[in-house]
Amino acid sequence: MNRKEFIHQIGIICVSCSAAAIWLEGCTGIHYAQHQWDGKDQKIMVSKGEFLDKKRNTERKFIVVRNEQLDFPVYLWKNTDGYIALYMCCTHKGCELNPQNEFLICPCHGSEFDRLGKVQNPPADQDLLRFETREEGDFVCIFPSK
Ligand code: FES
């Protein structure tokens, strides 16, 4: 391979990698939901509309809520029975979890939790903290202190 061919191939690889990165980001993008904090009732209020992906005209299975009242975000999953709110703090040594498909994965030492917050893989040996949720009209309310 001569120099010109080499540069041409590197260029193709770079363009391909950029396109793949954009495509993957679109597939695995995490939606950080808009929300309100109700200090009187100590609850986070999230519109149910946050689960709608208007671009793709589909419904999101989960969203993430990052509220300044909490040190870690909340994973809010909509299932057939209602809403599950999990504190995204690993019970092993307190790293922030990453949602990946049907699991929450710890980037520090590899613990895995399912969408109910149950430990699936160690080293964590305790389930995630789960917050009470309640539907109030068009909102899902999360109660971090309950
Ligand atoms: S802090 Fe999560 S596995 Fe260690």
Side-chain angles (χ1 to χ4, degrees), residues 35-100:
H35 60 280
Q36 302 163 31
W37 171 250
D38 179 340
K40 183 174 162 260
D41 292 337
Q42 299 285 295
K43 65 186 178 187
I44 299 168
M45 300 175 68
V46 182
S47 168
K48 291 178 182 174
E50 292 290 328
F51 283 90
L52 293 176
D53 185 341
K54 291 174 188 156
K55 253 191 205 169
R56 296 188 177 95
N57 200 24
T58 58
E59 194 159 311
R60 298 181 174 102
K61 298 250 187 282
F62 73 90
I63 57 178
V64 173
V65 181
R66 193 179 281 281
N67 184 276
E68 61 189 26
Q69 305 294 323
L70 301 170
D71 292 334
F72 292 87
V74 177
Y75 176 89
L76 187 59
W77 173 42
K78 181 181 180 184
N79 68 19
T80 50
D81 297 329
Y83 295 89
I84 306 288
L86 301 173
Y87 196 43
M88 293 173 65
C89 175
C90 182
T91 54
H92 179 230
K93 294 201 185 228
C95 289
E96 185 171 319
L97 300 169
N98 295 326
Q100 288 180 15

